[in-house]
Amino acid sequence: MRKSEDTYLHKGLRKQLVALLKGKGITDESVIEAIGSIPRHFFLDSAFERIAYEDRAFPIAANQTISQPYTVAYQTQLLMVKKGDKVLEIGTGSMYQTTVLAAIGAEVYTIERQKQLFEQTSQYLFKIQYPSIHFFFGDGFEGQPKHAPYDKILITAAAPKVPEKLWEQLKVGGMMVIPLDESETAQRMLRLTKKKDGSAKEERFDEFSFVPMLKGKTQN
Ligand code: SAH
């Protein structure tokens, strides 16, 4: 993440992005407000300031990507995040999605498996603004049992199946939004709500394309 100016030009580009997202079906006001206020260009490695406000994914360090704004908005809207929700996020990446969750007022526990990306979280520029974010280095398949149970769980990488340990860490009545592998190249976005007996109510949404959710963690 890098500190930059947030000029009228950036704010203007952000307004256009928000209008585009609304046109694509993002209606949740808290999501719109968060995306409208967060300077996404701070989250890109290099000076691609205009591209930051185009609706597309972009490479970040360690061969990973910052999710497309539409994908971030879509997942956040499906998760129905409310102020005070305790949210576990798998795949911190650029910290942009993390920041959207925090801006809505969630208490965020976020896990990244790539050391290089995790180390960047120590330079997070909004630490003072969002003390409600807790960064962890580890394997997201394991979750963070110490802080469980969670109201919501958001997975931002392509999952081969619903990770069992994460399901255990979700509250009854809680929701998980997960892009689940349906083929080699595409994931189906699912919203799973945990029922009293521990089983899932499953709702199916659109197809997306994510980088894979991988086991273990890397030291570089
Ligand atoms: N939310 C991020 C999306 C980054 S892409 C953003 O908005 O920028 C997905 C991220 O998930 C990558 O950073 C990848 O390293 C991470 N990831 C993949 N498998 C993981 C796992 N098992 N545990 C934690 N993070 C994982």
Side-chain angles (χ1 to χ4, degrees), residues 116-135:
Q116 192 190 348
L117 291 174
F118 173 72
E119 279 173 351
Q120 293 180 2
T121 67
S122 65
Q123 310 296 325
Y124 185 57
L125 293 170
F126 301 122
K127 247 182 219 159
I128 292 171
Q129 199 173 342
Y130 301 122
S132 57
I133 300 179
H134 314 281
F135 295 105

Side-chain angles (χ1 to χ4, degrees), residues 1-218:
M1 227 186 145
R2 76 207 152 79
K3 180 101 191 84
S4 174
E5 297 287 312
D6 192 25
T7 65
Y8 281 105
L9 171 66
H10 297 117
K11 292 185 171 99
L13 292 169
R14 213 143 63 224
K15 271 200 181 133
Q16 287 176 22
L17 174 63
V18 161
L20 186 133
L21 295 176
K22 282 184 179 168
K24 286 175 108 171
I26 304 302
T27 51
D28 185 323
E29 272 307 319
S30 60
V31 175
I32 295 285
E33 206 175 296
I35 290 180
S37 67
I38 300 167
R40 190 168 186 269
H41 60 287
F42 285 22
F43 294 82
L44 296 185
D45 275 351
S46 39
F48 294 107
E49 305 236 319
R50 276 178 173 274
I51 289 174
Y53 296 104
E54 287 177 14
D55 189 25
R56 54 152 142 160
F58 207 76
I60 55 172
N63 274 327
Q64 298 302 318
T65 57
I66 177 170
S67 298
Q68 187 178 343
Y70 175 63
T71 307
V72 171
Y74 190 99
Q75 287 199 289
T76 312
Q77 176 164 287
L78 279 187
L79 204 58
M80 301 194 213
V81 182
K82 295 188 308 289
K83 197 169 163 35
D85 271 354
K86 201 168 158 184
V87 180
L88 176 66
E89 180 197 21
I90 309 302
T92 311
S94 69
M95 305 178 267
Y96 178 70
Q97 167 76 75
T98 316
T99 306
V100 169
L101 294 168
I104 296 174
E107 184 86 24
V108 190
Y109 297 80
T110 183
I111 310 176
E112 176 55 55
R113 68 178 290 278
Q114 296 259 11
K115 190 66 171 281
Q116 192 190 348
L117 291 174
F118 173 72
E119 279 173 351
Q120 293 180 2
T121 67
S122 65
Q123 310 296 325
Y124 185 57
L125 293 170
F126 301 122
K127 247 182 219 159
I128 292 171
Q129 199 173 342
Y130 301 122
S132 57
I133 300 179
H134 314 281
F135 295 105
F136 298 91
F137 175 52
D139 180 355
F141 280 100
E142 302 295 321
Q144 269 299 320
K146 234 179 99 184
H147 301 282
Y150 301 95
D151 299 300
K152 310 275 166 73
I153 298 181
L154 178 60
I155 299 180
T156 72
K161 61 186 182 71
V162 177
E164 225 168 273
K165 289 182 182 165
L166 296 185
W167 189 251
E168 281 166 15
Q169 291 169 33
L170 185 63
K171 271 187 195 164
V172 168
M175 287 172 179
M176 175 186 288
V177 168
I178 175 169
L180 204 66
D181 282 338
E182 239 182 21
S183 68
E184 294 265 307
T185 52
Q187 294 82 46
R188 175 73 52 192
M189 194 67 77
L190 299 183
R191 179 168 60 196
L192 306 173
T193 306
K194 192 166 181 174
K195 296 199 268 191
K196 274 209 182 97
D197 65 2
S199 67
K201 175 188 141 195
E202 177 182 309
E203 294 168 280
R204 294 167 62 81
F205 298 91
D206 297 323
E207 274 194 347
F208 288 85
S209 178
F210 283 83
V211 296
M213 182 170 178
L214 300 171
K215 288 228 157 74
K217 51 187 180 186
T218 71

